[in-house]
Amino acid sequence: EGYVQFSKGDDYFKVKEVWLSPEWAVSNGRAGDIALILLETPVESIEPIELASNVNYLPRYASRLYTVGCSLGYKKQSLPEVFYYYGTLTTSPYCLQLRSNRTVIWHGDSGGAVFYKDCLGDTYLVGVIASYSRFQDVVVDFTAMDVRAYFTQIKDKLGEWKG
């Protein structure tokens, strides 16, 4: 049992149910690091951003990405076009590998959203921040779970919750 608060001063919203990807439990936390939270009551004036599906193409080296996270005690949104997608690893085809030469994510940003704005100006949720890689104590890139790989599971669960 828990609560969610969207911004300072807003009401608290009780969490009714949490869904974790079944793959996450089987893999001991590596694959399928994606979850949904069902709130007990709807949140007025909040319009959800569209979930990317398999038909949404994310070009390699795309830079129209931005992140939303909560690290170092601050809720934050990155500037647009500071991160870029550089591909997937053959060992992790369900992950997006991202990096930036100008900024990094920080410990605590995990679970935050990765958004992509396409050339038509439409915004999609494409990933959920999962981890980062360090080299000589410097964050060099980060991994986000690709929501397109879980699109059917997510839509099925949302449909089940709607009834």
Side-chain angles (χ1 to χ4, degrees):
E1 185 175 303
Y3 293 86
V4 174
Q5 185 182 26
F6 293 101
S7 64
K8 193 173 185 176
D10 278 350
D11 295 329
Y12 287 86
F13 297 89
K14 189 172 183 180
V15 173
K16 182 177 180 179
E17 188 176 337
V18 175
W19 172 83
L20 299 174
S21 168
E23 294 169 13
W24 184 78
V26 172
S27 72
N28 199 19
R30 175 137 169 86
D33 189 7
I34 200 158
L36 299 173
I37 297 173
L38 175 64
L39 301 178
E40 195 169 84
T41 58
V43 180
E44 301 297 324
S45 75
I46 300 291
E47 188 66 35
I49 291 180
E50 190 168 344
L51 185 66
S53 70
N54 288 334
V55 299
N56 296 114
Y57 175 66
L58 181 60
R60 195 163 186 204
Y61 301 112
S63 64
R64 290 188 299 271
L65 296 166
Y66 64 95
T67 63
V68 174
C70 186
S71 59
L72 305 175
Y74 297 99
K75 294 178 189 176
K76 61 190 184 323
Q77 175 179 319
S78 70
L79 294 172
E81 300 190 17
V82 295
F83 293 107
Y84 65 90
Y85 162 66
Y86 70 87
T88 58
L89 304 176
T90 55
T91 56
S92 306
Y94 45 82
C95 295
L96 304 171
Q97 294 302 124
L98 302 121
R99 69 174 305 142
S100 174
N101 294 328
R102 297 188 287 169
T103 190
V104 295
I105 64 157
W106 296 97
H107 187 74
D109 285 335
S110 295
V114 179
F115 297 105
Y116 174 66
K117 186 177 273 193
D118 69 14
C119 59
L120 301 175
D122 296 322
T123 301
Y124 298 93
L125 173 66
V126 294
V128 178
I129 300 170
S131 62
Y132 57 84
S133 301
R134 294 166 54 126
F135 178 72
Q136 295 180 347
D137 292 330
V138 175
V139 174
V140 292
D141 68 1
F142 71 96
T143 300
M145 302 308 298
D146 188 341
V147 298
R148 297 171 303 173
Y150 302 93
F151 181 80
T152 302
Q153 289 176 310
I154 292 169
K155 282 296 194 184
D156 287 350
K157 190 61 185 179
L158 292 175
E160 180 185 311
W161 281 346
K162 274 188 170 181

